[in-house]
Amino acid sequence: MAENHKLVAEDKSTKPGLAEVDVKKTAALLVDAIFFQYRDTLKLAVPSLIYTLQNNLQYVAISNLPAATFQVTYQLKILTTALFSVLMLRKSLTRVQWLALLLLFVGVAIVQVQQDGNREAADADQNYTIGLIAVVISCLSSGFAGVYFERILKGSAPSVWVRNVQLGIFGMSLGMLGLWWNDGAAVSRRGFLSGYTPMVWGVILNQAFGGLLVAVVVKYADNILKGFATSLSIIISTVLSIYLFAFNVDLMFAAGAGLVISAVYMYSLPKASPRPSLSSAATQECADMEAFPTKCARKQKGS
């Protein structure tokens, strides 16, 4: 192991300016992509504004809804993303996917009916109506921003990393503006990091790690595993809500959550490839058997 470290050190010493050159090239690339191509950068202002709004709405929703109910209802973003994909990107969905979207809507509706019947047992500090409106708007904004961002990515040359930096610039600017507007006086008195308890830092790190983990899942896994992960997150949220917040799981909630989990899995299933017709199969076979023209002619004539 020590020899390996020594070899690495020697290799770096022979190329002392390599890291510096890479940093300079990356900085020059970002400056060119962000400032010199400012019109292209401004396109990211729309999804960045929507993502910032979505993140704040999620905190409003989770503050006014039980964690398990929020987790189930937030899966409506699959429905909104699918609808915006059909409208804006002209994507086509299979019958199984349309059925999954229907089951998803029915499952979320059942959960809402169940929660409406248990409002009297809710926390006095929670407003169920505000939480539901917040999560619905968050799902709509998530679907639109995701499809809009996908459309920008497919119609431009910059990489996903450059686009993420552009999104981050607008997102931080809008977030700081909102912070100054709502809590500017408090931040001036107490400092920017006032109120950052260990619990808050844990939430921040969890959000950051979750974002990186989603990128790894998208790169190395498939939609089926992603669907399993989403379903597992609903189950974990429900179990933790039972032990931490005394959340009551009755038959209606279990049925609604089960429909949502099934819908997520069904929607993630890969599309079935169309079966080749007899004529196309015979043509392909003839292309592979050019040395036997008589047999190929007879097969095409018979089909």
Side-chain angles (χ1 to χ4, degrees), residues 167-179:
L167 279 175
I169 291 175
F170 285 111
M172 286 190 297
S173 302
L174 293 170
M176 293 298 294
L177 181 63
L179 175 66

Side-chain angles (χ1 to χ4, degrees), residues 118-181:
N118 294 340
R119 281 193 187 185
E120 63 276 3
D123 193 339
D125 296 331
Q126 291 183 333
N127 190 319
Y128 184 82
T129 303
I130 293 178
L132 183 59
I133 294 174
V135 74
V136 170
I137 298 177
S138 180
C139 290
L140 288 170
S141 61
S142 174
F144 177 79
V147 174
Y148 185 89
F149 188 51
E150 181 181 352
R151 187 172 183 177
I152 291 177
L153 287 178
K154 291 184 176 180
S156 59
S159 65
V160 178
W161 299 106
V162 173
R163 292 304 191 191
N164 283 330
V165 172
Q166 293 170 330
L167 279 175
I169 291 175
F170 285 111
M172 286 190 297
S173 302
L174 293 170
M176 293 298 294
L177 181 63
L179 175 66
W180 172 79
W181 181 268

Side-chain angles (χ1 to χ4, degrees), residues 4 23 37 50 55 73 75 89 91 101 112 137 224 259 271 276:
N4 291 337
V23 171
Q37 302 180 28
I50 296 175
N55 289 333
T73 309
Q75 301 312 312
L89 301 179
K91 287 188 176 181
L101 294 177
Q112 300 312 315
I137 298 177
I224 297 179
L259 284 176
K271 294 183 179 180

Side-chain angles (χ1 to χ4, degrees), residues 20-248:
E20 183 179 353
V21 171
D22 290 339
V23 171
K24 289 182 177 180
K25 288 175 63 177
T26 302
L29 175 65
L30 291 176
V31 170
D32 178 71
I34 295 171
F35 297 104
F36 290 100
Q37 302 180 28
Y38 64 92
R39 292 183 179 178
D40 193 55
T41 302
L42 289 176
K43 295 179 182 178
L44 276 298
V46 174
S48 181
L49 172 63
I50 296 175
Y51 279 133
T52 305
L53 174 65
Q54 174 195 343
N55 289 333
N56 286 276
L57 286 174
Q58 287 183 25
Y59 287 112
V60 174
I62 196 65
S63 300
N64 291 279
L65 293 175
T69 304
F70 168 79
Q71 191 69 15
V72 172
T73 309
Y74 191 57
Q75 301 312 312
L76 279 177
K77 65 182 180 179
I78 299 175
L79 174 62
T80 58
T81 302
L83 294 179
F84 281 119
S85 297
V86 172
L87 295 175
M88 297 174 60
L89 301 179
R90 304 301 180 186
K91 287 188 176 181
S92 60
L93 302 179
T94 63
R95 293 181 180 178
V96 174
Q97 288 178 320
W98 283 114
L99 177 60
L101 294 177
L102 178 61
L103 291 178
L104 176 68
F105 182 81
V106 172
V108 171
I110 292 176
V111 170
Q112 300 312 315
V113 171
Q114 183 266 350
Q115 287 297 304
D116 185 69
N118 294 340
R119 281 193 187 185
E120 63 276 3
D123 193 339
D125 296 331
Q126 291 183 333
N127 190 319
Y128 184 82
T129 303
I130 293 178
L132 183 59
I133 294 174
V135 74
V136 170
I137 298 177
S138 180
C139 290
L140 288 170
S141 61
S142 174
F144 177 79
V147 174
Y148 185 89
F149 188 51
E150 181 181 352
R151 187 172 183 177
I152 291 177
L153 287 178
K154 291 184 176 180
S156 59
S159 65
V160 178
W161 299 106
V162 173
R163 292 304 191 191
N164 283 330
V165 172
Q166 293 170 330
L167 279 175
I169 291 175
F170 285 111
M172 286 190 297
S173 302
L174 293 170
M176 293 298 294
L177 181 63
L179 175 66
W180 172 79
W181 181 268
N182 292 321
D183 302 307
V187 171
S188 299
R189 292 195 310 267
R190 304 174 184 175
F192 182 79
L193 296 179
S194 175
Y196 277 66
T197 62
M199 183 70 71
V200 174
W201 281 112
V203 172
I204 294 173
L205 293 177
N206 180 67
Q207 290 287 89
F209 177 73
L212 296 175
L213 196 60
V214 168
V216 173
V217 171
V218 171
K219 183 175 182 179
Y220 295 104
D222 55 11
N223 284 330
I224 297 179
L225 289 179
K226 186 179 178 182
F228 273 120
T230 303
S231 304
L232 186 61
S233 69
I234 296 176
I235 297 174
I236 292 176
S237 298
T238 303
V239 173
L240 291 178
S241 296
I242 294 173
Y243 286 100
L244 296 178
F245 307 112
F247 182 73
N248 181 33

